[in-house]
Amino acid sequence: MAQKIKLSTIAESLGVSTATVSLALRDSPLVADTTREKIKDQARALGYIYNRRAASLRTSRSGIIGVVVHDIMNPFYAEILRAIESELDRNRQTFILSNHYDSVEKQRTFLETLLQLGSDGVIMSPAIGTPRDDLLLAENNGMPTILIARSVPDIDVPTFRGDDAYGIALATNHLIGLGHRVIAMIGGTDQTSTGRDRYQGYVDALKKAGIEVDPVLRIPGPRTKQGGFEAAVNFLSMPQKPTAAVCWNDLVAIGLMNGIQRAGLVPGRDISVTGYDDLEEASIATPALTTVWNGQSEVGRMAARALLDKLAGSHAEDYLHLIKPEMRIRQSTAPLHPR
Amino acid sequence: MAQKIKLSTIAESLGVSTATVSLALRDSPLVADTTREKIKDQARALGYIYNRRAASLRTSRSGIIGVVVHDIMNPFYAEILRAIESELDRNRQTFILSNHYDSVEKQRTFLETLLQLGSDGVIMSPAIGTPRDDLLLAENNGMPTILIARSVPDIDVPTFRGDDAYGIALATNHLIGLGHRVIAMIGGTDQTSTGRDRYQGYVDALKKAGIEVDPVLRIPGPRTKQGGFEAAVNFLSMPQKPTAAVCWNDLVAIGLMNGIQRAGLVPGRDISVTGYDDLEEASIATPALTTVWNGQSEVGRMAARALLDKLAGSHAEDYLHLIKPEMRIRQSTAPLHPR
DNA sequence: TCTGTTTATTTAAACGCTTTAAATCATGTC
DNA sequence: GACATGATTTAAAGCGTTTAAATAAACAGA
């Protein structure tokens, strides 16, 4: 790198003004075709690198979109991110990613960073306990915000997520239909809207079937394989002897199945297990996991689309967008075994 | 947002110059304590947001570090990223992430974006087939580069990765020690340095034990669970009747074990399987996976550290840093069964 | 009171780009 | 040849920071 090539370097070498060069490189119709070609060739020849900071300082558009989720390592979010990435890529936006691990502080720090960088907008799955001010921090500073996966009551921010109550009811009804009566619900928390909705979906489905709801059968816990794995002991030693488990998500379900196998039982025969999300992994688990598709790809795609539209100036009127989950029946659930 | 608060807004409201404000906010000893306090209070009161683009335009330091890997959804990279994240966080650097999915074009586009944004440096696990020019694209434009996980021959760029040949030899020797003689190697490619090293480690271990190497026993394939799962059919129908498999990584091993179970056999009893990486998941798989720890956390931490040091001006002399893998023996391997 | 030092603050010039009004050029018409 | 018209090009004013150099203020020593 001999020396920094900038617009003026090109301009001087060609005897035109920087204005012309700037215009030419961005295909403005104001500059003559021949000039444009000459300029583009020269730019290439000199190895010109567009300086976005300078441009963005001038235009106050950065081409950067921030994305915050709980944990990108969690395949559920990873699948959403994949969809966001592909949509943003198509629109030549750079995206900056961060985990908040449900730390409100880490989330705020990240939002502040985005503000400092002049991010054009942000897509976030808010950390548990996010104060209202933080949620609006971006929006109030001119950075449009879209929520995904988790929603916040009474807030006018576009939100995209699966219909949890409906989805869990699908899974619960499936088990009830197979004859199960003692059904536990494993994993997750009741501190998020998602958590409350899911529990509600489970409760409603049981009630509608005339099955009494026993709060002891609700075993909250980490939303990970490890969490499901560790819940197995507790689950198997319950005096109520549940014959089936509705799990918070696929990870918990797979962990639970591993735990059940360790105990010498066969999931999908001795115990029925449902997952939630339908991760890529669900279909190759052993036994293949009966689960509920939670629309990750749709959530990601639609959220990104919504943000891009908003940036382009369009104004949507609806805030909450619920994606309808769908049942995926595989081998981890079976009719209640006569014992 | 009434109107943008900038340095000059604060300056005017306090009757000082913007220079003083700038200095004060960054704790320069050049400004008097009383003035500094006054300024900081005012900044907070007005809700001032530091404009990094402007600062970075001026200083040509952005505080941004780019990170490119094959696929952040792959837990192997995710574990590395976790370590990088925590190291960079500690040093208040923002990081921008991207997958290249082994597309040289996507990788180049990302590198160009980083250059445009004025990224301070880049940590990359180069895509298969990355041309030399691309590898040096960043470096040649003043953006220090660190390579991780994959290395490139004859190139003076600091590289951090596990010692693959040594690690795979560990796994292979472990199986040989258990009495296995027909050992397949499943998954992965021979197009990367990693691939060649791993195959070499496997071959060398076999040779050293006086076992003839049968190239048919090498089944390359995707480095995913799906890949391992699909390889099972092929693996189980081989005329050579392998009794053990050295897998490219844990994902392939877990997929393979799933496939073996589907066929009614029991991994860890009928067939011995080793993984590679020691992902969090390895220990909760059923059976718990015997594998080789590949130092993900170390690779990430050291790579980030090296980049930060380089940015701080220190000059390291060594280029290739090999992390020594370690054997983790669990239940997926067992002494050769008399049949 | 004057000079020299130290401390505190300000001035002014970048950093590299975009944008728009105004200037220049080329062309065609009468 | 004068003039209108349309096509190109350019000058200049920022965008919000940082920083070297200049200035001002305060203080001490003689």
Side-chain angles (χ1 to χ4, degrees), chain B residues 12 22 65-68 98 108 124 169 177 192 201 215-216 245 250 253-255 259 289 294 300 305 309 339:
Chain B
E12 280 161 25
S22 170
I65 303 265
V67 182
V68 219
S98 183
R108 183 167 38 236
M124 67 190 283
T192 56
V216 174
D250 289 353
I254 291 171
L289 185 64
N294 196 14
R305 195 62 260 156
D309 288 348
R339 295 208 151 185

Side-chain angles (χ1 to χ4, degrees), chain A residues 111 115 118-120 133 136-145, chain B residues 1-5 46-49:
Chain A
L111 289 175
L115 248 12
S119 165
D120 293 337
D133 278 359
L136 295 172
L137 179 59
E139 193 78 39
N140 287 342
N141 285 88
M143 197 166 83
T145 304
Chain B
M1 48 169 313
Q3 136 252 29
K4 268 264 177 299
I5 309 294
L46 294 178
Y48 169 69
I49 290 174

Side-chain angles (χ1 to χ4, degrees), chain B residues 6-7 19 22 48 50-51 54 58:
Chain B
K6 42 188 170 175
L7 287 189
S22 170
Y48 169 69
Y50 178 66
N51 186 329
R58 179 57 226 248

Side-chain angles (χ1 to χ4, degrees), chain A residues 6-7 22 48 50 54 58:
Chain A
K6 42 189 169 174
L7 287 190
S22 170
Y48 170 68
Y50 178 66
R58 178 61 227 247

Side-chain angles (χ1 to χ4, degrees), chain A residues 53-333:
Chain A
R53 290 117 97 197
S56 144
L57 179 55
R58 178 61 227 247
T59 60
S60 59
R61 265 290 206 132
S62 65
I64 290 178
I65 302 267
V67 182
V68 218
V69 298
H70 171 72
D71 182 4
I72 60 169
M73 212 163 134
N74 178 320
F76 169 70
Y77 289 110
E79 290 186 6
I80 293 181
L81 292 177
R82 194 95 103 190
I84 293 179
E85 177 188 30
S86 102
E87 193 68 29
L88 293 185
D89 258 16
R90 210 195 320 287
N91 290 274
R92 344 200 112 273
Q93 296 270 335
T94 304
F95 78 116
I96 300 193
L97 219 55
S98 183
N99 304 302
H100 53 55
Y101 301 122
D102 276 325
S103 149
V104 172
E105 288 70 38
K106 194 160 181 345
Q107 178 178 258
R108 184 169 38 236
T109 304
F110 182 66
L111 289 175
E112 279 164 3
T113 300
L114 289 178
L115 248 12
Q116 296 181 352
L117 289 172
S119 165
D120 293 337
V122 56
I123 298 179
M124 68 191 283
S125 177
I128 292 176
T130 303
R132 212 184 166 74
D133 278 359
D134 283 5
L135 215 44
L136 295 172
L137 179 59
E139 193 78 39
N140 287 342
N141 285 88
M143 197 166 83
T145 304
I146 304 273
L147 263 31
I148 51 172
R150 295 175 178 174
S151 61
V152 175
D154 305 320
I155 202 164
D156 288 351
V157 175
T159 304
F160 296 83
R161 62 175 179 84
D163 187 339
D164 293 295
Y166 174 84
I168 282 287
L170 284 181
T172 312
N173 286 334
H174 167 70
L175 290 171
I176 294 171
L178 290 173
H180 296 276
R181 287 299 171 269
V182 188
I183 303 173
M185 181 171 177
I186 315 279
T189 167
D190 299 336
Q191 290 179 267
T192 55
S193 65
T194 309
R196 289 182 292 273
D197 287 353
R198 290 197 186 169
Y199 185 59
Q200 203 54 52
Y202 159 82
V203 167
D204 288 352
L206 290 179
K207 279 189 180 156
K208 197 176 289 171
I211 299 173
E212 201 182 337
V213 178
D214 182 351
V216 174
L217 290 172
R218 172 82 185 97
I219 309 181
R223 295 162 291 223
T224 58
K225 282 187 193 170
Q226 194 66 41
F229 185 73
E230 284 164 6
V233 179
N234 185 349
F235 172 80
L236 292 173
S237 62
M238 285 187 151
Q240 292 87 347
K241 297 266 169 221
T243 60
V246 171
C247 294
W248 174 272
N249 63 18
D250 289 353
L251 297 179
V252 170
I254 291 171
L256 183 74
M257 293 202 305
N258 281 328
I260 289 172
Q261 284 178 31
R262 282 287 172 90
L265 294 172
V266 180
R269 193 191 68 190
D270 305 324
I271 304 280
S272 284
V273 175
T274 63
Y276 202 88
D277 288 344
D278 193 25
L279 302 180
E280 286 172 12
E281 187 167 353
S283 59
I284 66 169
T286 302
L289 185 65
T290 294
T291 187
V292 179
W293 175 71
N294 195 15
Q296 296 82 288
S297 53
E298 280 302 280
V299 167
R301 199 185 52 74
M302 292 171 72
R305 197 62 259 157
L307 182 55
L308 292 170
D309 287 349
K310 204 164 170 184
L311 290 177
S314 87
H315 182 75
E317 46 320 310
D318 289 341
Y319 292 112
L320 184 58
H321 303 259
L322 289 181
I323 282 87
K324 274 272 171 274
E326 296 169 12
M327 198 69 212
R328 300 273 192 263
I329 298 173
R330 303 208 178 88
Q331 280 76 54
S332 67
T333 49

